[in-house]
Amino acid sequence: MVLDIKPNSIFNLQSIHQSVSVRFNYEILFTNNLFNLKNSTLAQVITTDGEKKPKKVVAVIDAGLLQYWPELPKQLAAYTKFYAEILTLAVKPMIVPGGEAAKNDRTLLEQIHKLIEAAGLCRHSYLLAVGGGAVLDLVGYAAATAHRGIRLIRIPTTVLAQNDSGIGVKNGINAFGKKNFLGTFAPPYAVINDSAFLTTLSDRDWLSGIAEAVKVALIKDARFFDFIHSHTAALVSRDMDAMQQLIYRCAQLHLEHIANSGDPFEMGSSRPLDFGHWAAHRLEHLTNYSLRHGEAVAIGIALDSTYSYLLGLLDWSNCQRILNTLSALGFTLYVPELAERSSPLEDSRCLFRGLTEFREHLGGELTLTLLQNIGQGIEVHEVELSLYKKAISLLQDVENRQTLLTAS
Amino acid sequence: MVLDIKPNSIFNLQSIHQSVSVRFNYEILFTNNLFNLKNSTLAQVITTDGEKKPKKVVAVIDAGLLQYWPELPKQLAAYTKFYAEILTLAVKPMIVPGGEAAKNDRTLLEQIHKLIEAAGLCRHSYLLAVGGGAVLDLVGYAAATAHRGIRLIRIPTTVLAQNDSGIGVKNGINAFGKKNFLGTFAPPYAVINDSAFLTTLSDRDWLSGIAEAVKVALIKDARFFDFIHSHTAALVSRDMDAMQQLIYRCAQLHLEHIANSGDPFEMGSSRPLDFGHWAAHRLEHLTNYSLRHGEAVAIGIALDSTYSYLLGLLDWSNCQRILNTLSALGFTLYVPELAERSSPLEDSRCLFRGLTEFREHLGGELTLTLLQNIGQGIEVHEVELSLYKKAISLLQDVENRQTLLTAS
């Protein structure tokens, strides 16, 4: 008996082409007071898996959040008790430091893995990540790599995490001094955005998350930029309705991009929505993370908008409008780290090394998003460093009021 | 200006449903003498990415292989020099221990990550993993998690890796004493099976990889089982043509299952082709990996086939045929670890704890594949431990020739 396998040359048998298609479905839910016993959102998310109950749940909570919500672990315990037929808290929640510290300490990853193992979680169990974007990134990475993937429910508690980092398909931690050097593409099981958590954010955290909304509006949706522009005062005065709408639309635009880019795991050359991000990542590093991600993104947006203007892509009036809006939202548009080591490239603190790191992280050719209009991004593959230096000077003048911007 | 976002209850805004589809394509190529300068297979694989050249390549090689192929690093260097317009060896190859040791030492993972970082690899660079299944699993995990995914080219060098573990979508390492506790689902960029490497395998490694072919034949393809059965003598006497056909068909069946299961990343309840594997994983652990994976799988197949017979699912004549074939291939069907601690379950060395670990790793309900005929698997969700104990006794008798099997 012989199978029908024919060699096609001296070296080769015919090759087998494998094509694997994977579909990931998840809901982004918007709620208020998630752990109120009358709020069945979380229980419903777990019920809809249609499997045997109760399901094991382990929670990891951002320490920064507990300052304002000290009762959270108790509330969670009461909640799981109330919905005991649906979910069981397998162990006491683990508390991890918030902010970039969560991503810089490799032992935290190991501790979460240990917790998953000790609690006997399986791929059909749930890991709840409650906190800001950095904590979600850390917990997401742990969830994606234990048993090759525990179900992750993200509960983002900051504006930034609710409208951007917490709703997408990425996770990661920092390593070798490089942001997100380790991580995977792994969609969550569900995301639950609870507006109650936004009420206790510091003004700085409330505002800084708006930068990602400005970013996505500028490259995708002029109407959304108009919304932000006309709601600047409301947003600054912490109007929750305006903020909810901003988060919703920003999330929607990010999700649409991920679903429709044709390459959600960025294996080829399609890009994430990273306008303004090459400088932002670099500035976070150069300022030792004293800048919030959103604050750095605002500067990155200001820089790349100004560069787009100097390159002749964007009108000065539109560039002014962008810089004005960012200023009105309370963002600083210039920090000394932009200029003080803007050359030579060999200098380990040179801003422009961010371009190389950006290319290396994403792979392939350097691709920057610039603006040709408000609401309209354009990709370029070359940069003129001299023009970038001019853009930096211009931003410095704007910040020092040496260049006056027309009100608009 | 107002966006059109309406709340749908006191707690909730309308949710956003996200659906992300990702397609992974890769080739499994069959070749002979991969690093012969006249063999352009590897260069072609890298050429077809259609991007700027030359691409950076880093190789990680199984130390076990170098015993028989000490010139391999030199050959690889010569090969990359010859095809310098297409690929560049970014650093000297890293050598890692082969076998399960590769998956038990956490520092190896970190070393590979460090190498990727030092070589400045990006997502469009290539990591070559050359070796047995364990090394491929380790390197695959490192590749999947650096920059959220470096391109991985697997070059499996054992029968087992060429027909099963090296062609699929998984990677992983062991942690907390649990096999593959850490890992991801991440398809490779390409797989290149070089038959030259098979010529230097020990008889033990040559034969043990056949167990996975028996496994997939038994649950999927009676004709393929007939092929194995009728080629037992050829396979045992190291006939390369028979082995190539076995590897090819086995790979094909595994790949078809992954592509057509509807759930290649095992997020729901679909199962990998793991007939005989619950006991196999456990026996590897209980024997401190003195059993090869394939040898343990052969025992697992014998056990689950016998259990299928005792349960009334499988004819005794078919069961005999299976046990005979495994014996003729040189497999031992019984080891003392099967019986000596077959109870109580609380005993840390009890075989049946493998059932719990199996369920926990895969998640959800316990699902075992049994046989209702040769070529026809069936899933069950309950086990009768007393029948399993009978099956173990029967295997012991068969192995001691106290139960004589009819020749077939």
Side-chain angles (χ1 to χ4, degrees):
Chain A
M1 158 165 221
V2 178
L3 295 171
D4 45 0
I5 299 155
K6 300 273 180 305
N8 65 359
S9 86
I10 183 163
F11 289 118
N12 299 316
L13 285 172
Q14 60 198 351
S15 66
I16 305 177
H17 180 73
Q18 175 72 329
S19 184
V20 179
S21 179
V22 188
R23 184 170 284 280
F24 302 90
N25 289 295
Y26 60 100
E27 300 287 327
I28 292 85
L29 298 135
F30 294 82
T31 193
N32 187 254
N33 287 316
L34 175 62
F35 297 120
N36 182 316
L37 297 186
K38 289 183 192 150
N39 188 335
S40 62
T41 308
L42 176 61
Q44 273 173 22
V45 164
I46 291 174
T47 308
T48 54
D49 74 8
E51 296 167 8
K52 262 196 217 157
K53 307 207 163 37
K55 308 306 285 281
K56 276 190 191 173
V57 170
V58 163
V60 182
I61 304 177
D62 191 322
L65 192 69
L66 290 184
Q67 291 175 23
Y68 302 96
W69 301 83
E71 301 297 309
L72 202 61
K74 263 191 224 166
Q75 276 184 291
L76 178 60
Y79 190 88
T80 54
K81 206 173 159 191
F82 188 79
Y83 291 98
E85 284 174 30
I86 295 164
L87 66 167
T88 306
L89 208 57
V91 288
K92 265 183 25 175
M94 174 174 163
I95 314 298
V96 295
E100 212 60 24
K103 299 176 69 167
N104 283 328
D105 178 358
R106 288 280 282 267
T107 65
L108 289 172
L109 178 71
E110 218 175 304
Q111 285 175 44
I112 301 174
H113 281 148
K114 208 170 273 179
L115 192 72
I116 291 170
E117 196 272 331
L121 296 198
C122 74
R123 281 186 204 155
H124 295 213
S125 308
Y126 296 84
L127 198 57
L128 298 190
V130 190
V135 168
L136 303 185
D137 272 1
L138 163 71
V139 181
Y141 184 43
T145 49
H147 291 306
R148 301 196 183 103
I150 302 277
R151 292 175 181 173
L152 172 72
I153 298 181
R154 297 199 200 115
I155 301 171
T157 58
T158 64
V159 172
L160 186 72
Q162 292 195 359
N163 72 12
D164 179 1
S165 65
I167 57 165
V169 296
K170 300 181 190 179
N171 58 53
I173 58 173
N174 307 330
F176 310 113
K178 286 182 180 170
K179 203 167 154 94
N180 297 322
F181 183 81
L182 298 177
T184 70
F185 288 92
Y189 189 81
V191 181
I192 309 176
N193 280 342
D194 183 345
S195 58
F197 289 121
L198 305 181
T199 62
T200 55
L201 290 176
S202 68
D203 282 346
R204 205 176 157 191
D205 281 326
W206 169 278
L207 289 170
S208 70
I210 300 174
E212 296 287 359
V214 174
K215 170 202 76 178
V216 74
L218 284 175
I219 55 179
K220 289 264 183 183
D221 185 352
R223 193 171 154 252
F224 184 37
F225 184 79
D226 291 342
F227 171 85
I228 297 171
H229 182 75
S230 63
H231 286 75
T232 308
L235 289 165
V236 169
S237 65
R238 301 192 66 141
D239 179 299
M240 184 60 88
D241 187 55
M243 181 57 95
Q244 281 288 82
Q245 298 200 51
L246 175 131
I247 288 172
Y248 196 93
R249 181 62 185 151
C250 182
Q252 218 171 26
L253 287 165
H254 276 110
L255 291 163
E256 277 169 15
H257 179 80
I258 293 166
N260 300 328
S261 69
D263 183 14
F265 286 4
E266 299 170 20
M267 294 179 284
S269 291
S270 83
R271 321 312 300 179
L273 296 175
D274 51 16
F275 175 55
H277 275 58
W278 74 267
H281 287 158
R282 186 72 183 142
L283 288 172
E284 284 181 84
H285 175 71
L286 290 176
T287 60
N288 275 318
Y289 294 91
S290 68
L291 279 179
R292 296 276 198 283
H293 179 64
E295 292 165 346
V297 167
I299 296 171
I301 292 171
L303 179 62
D304 284 356
S305 300
T306 307
Y307 178 74
S308 300
Y309 154 65
L310 292 174
L311 211 58
L313 288 170
L314 185 70
D315 287 345
W316 175 235
S317 65
N318 278 326
C319 184
Q320 282 176 299
R321 210 162 159 240
I322 296 166
L323 301 182
N324 273 329
T325 304
L326 290 170
S327 284
L329 287 165
F331 289 112
T332 299
L333 306 185
Y334 178 84
V335 286
E337 284 78 3
L338 277 173
E340 64 187 6
R341 307 280 187 103
S342 70
S343 63
L345 267 172
E346 291 68 37
D347 188 323
S348 70
R349 293 186 56 81
C350 174
L351 176 77
F352 296 117
R353 285 175 74 136
L355 288 164
T356 316
E357 287 175 8
F358 191 66
R359 190 206 64 74
E360 191 177 288
H361 184 63
L362 293 168
E365 191 178 18
L366 174 70
T367 304
L368 288 187
T369 302
L370 296 177
L371 294 185
Q372 47 187 346
N373 204 340
I374 286 177
Q376 232 181 313
I378 180 173
E379 293 191 344
V380 301
H381 303 289
E382 309 222 326
V383 292
E384 291 184 37
L385 293 191
S386 59
L387 268 196
Y388 257 121
K389 288 183 192 171
K390 270 194 202 166
I392 291 170
S393 298
L394 211 155
L395 281 184
Q396 188 171 15
D397 290 350
V398 166
E399 195 68 11
N400 295 337
R401 308 285 176 244
Q402 288 171 13
T403 297
L404 293 174
L405 296 173
T406 315
S408 70
Chain B
M1 159 166 222
V2 178
L3 295 171
D4 45 0
I5 300 154
K6 300 273 180 303
N8 65 359
S9 86
I10 185 164
F11 288 118
N12 299 317
L13 286 172
Q14 61 198 350
S15 65
I16 305 176
H17 180 75
Q18 174 72 329
S19 184
V20 178
S21 178
V22 188
R23 184 170 284 280
F24 302 91
N25 289 293
Y26 60 99
E27 299 287 326
I28 292 85
L29 298 135
F30 295 83
T31 194
N32 186 254
N33 286 316
L34 175 62
F35 296 121
N36 182 316
L37 296 185
K38 289 182 192 151
N39 188 334
S40 62
T41 308
L42 176 61
Q44 273 173 22
V45 164
I46 292 176
T47 308
T48 54
D49 74 7
E51 295 167 9
K52 261 195 218 160
K53 309 213 161 30
K55 308 303 287 283
K56 276 190 190 173
V57 170
V58 164
V60 182
I61 303 177
D62 192 322
L65 192 69
L66 290 184
Q67 291 175 23
Y68 302 96
W69 301 83
E71 301 297 309
L72 201 61
K74 261 189 223 167
Q75 276 183 291
L76 179 61
Y79 190 88
T80 53
K81 206 171 158 192
F82 190 78
Y83 292 98
E85 284 173 30
I86 294 163
L87 65 166
T88 306
L89 208 57
V91 288
K92 267 184 24 177
M94 175 173 163
I95 314 299
V96 295
E100 210 60 24
K103 298 174 70 167
N104 283 327
D105 178 357
R106 287 282 282 268
T107 64
L108 289 173
L109 178 71
E110 217 175 305
Q111 284 174 45
I112 301 173
H113 280 148
K114 209 170 273 181
L115 193 70
I116 292 170
E117 196 271 332
L121 296 197
C122 74
R123 280 187 204 156
H124 295 213
S125 308
Y126 295 83
L127 199 57
L128 298 190
V130 190
V135 168
L136 302 186
D137 272 1
L138 163 70
V139 182
Y141 185 42
T145 48
H147 291 306
R148 299 196 184 103
I150 301 278
R151 291 175 181 173
L152 173 72
I153 297 180
R154 298 199 199 116
I155 301 171
T157 58
T158 64
V159 172
L160 186 72
Q162 291 195 1
N163 72 12
D164 179 359
S165 63
I167 57 164
V169 296
K170 300 181 191 180
N171 58 54
I173 58 173
N174 307 329
F176 312 112
K178 287 184 180 169
K179 202 167 153 95
N180 297 323
F181 183 82
L182 298 178
T184 69
F185 289 92
Y189 188 82
V191 181
I192 307 176
N193 280 342
D194 184 345
S195 58
F197 290 121
L198 305 181
T199 61
T200 55
L201 290 176
S202 68
D203 282 346
R204 206 177 157 189
D205 281 327
W206 170 279
L207 288 170
S208 69
I210 300 174
E212 296 287 0
V214 175
K215 171 203 77 179
V216 73
L218 285 175
I219 54 179
K220 290 264 183 183
D221 184 353
R223 193 169 156 255
F224 184 38
F225 184 80
D226 291 342
F227 171 86
I228 298 170
H229 181 74
S230 63
H231 285 75
T232 307
L235 288 166
V236 168
S237 65
R238 301 192 67 140
D239 179 301
M240 184 59 90
D241 187 55
M243 181 57 96
Q244 281 288 83
Q245 297 200 52
L246 175 129
I247 287 172
Y248 196 92
R249 181 61 185 150
C250 182
Q252 218 171 26
L253 287 165
H254 276 110
L255 291 163
E256 277 170 14
H257 179 80
I258 294 166
N260 301 327
S261 68
D263 182 15
F265 286 6
E266 298 170 20
M267 293 180 285
S269 291
S270 81
R271 320 313 301 179
L273 295 176
D274 51 15
F275 174 56
H277 274 57
W278 75 266
H281 287 156
R282 185 74 181 141
L283 288 172
E284 283 181 84
H285 175 72
L286 290 176
T287 61
N288 274 320
Y289 294 92
S290 68
L291 280 179
R292 297 274 199 283
H293 179 65
E295 292 165 347
V297 167
I299 297 171
I301 291 172
L303 180 62
D304 285 356
S305 299
T306 307
Y307 178 75
S308 300
Y309 154 66
L310 292 174
L311 212 57
L313 287 170
L314 184 71
D315 287 346
W316 176 235
S317 65
N318 278 325
C319 184
Q320 283 175 298
R321 205 159 166 245
I322 296 166
L323 301 181
N324 273 330
T325 304
L326 290 170
S327 285
L329 288 166
F331 290 112
T332 300
L333 305 185
Y334 179 83
V335 287
E337 284 79 3
L338 276 173
E340 65 188 6
R341 307 281 187 101
S342 71
S343 63
L345 266 173
E346 291 68 38
D347 188 323
S348 70
R349 292 185 58 80
C350 174
L351 176 77
F352 296 118
R353 287 175 72 135
L355 289 163
T356 316
E357 286 175 8
F358 192 67
R359 190 207 63 73
E360 192 176 287
H361 184 62
L362 293 169
E365 192 179 16
L366 175 70
T367 304
L368 289 187
T369 301
L370 297 177
L371 295 184
Q372 48 187 345
N373 204 340
I374 286 176
Q376 232 181 312
I378 180 173
E379 293 191 344
V380 302
H381 303 287
E382 311 223 324
V383 292
E384 291 183 38
L385 292 191
S386 59
L387 268 195
Y388 257 121
K389 288 182 192 171
K390 270 194 200 164
I392 291 170
S393 299
L394 212 156
L395 280 185
Q396 188 171 16
D397 290 350
V398 166
E399 195 67 13
N400 296 336
R401 307 280 176 250
Q402 288 173 13
T403 297
L404 293 175
L405 297 173
T406 314
S408 68

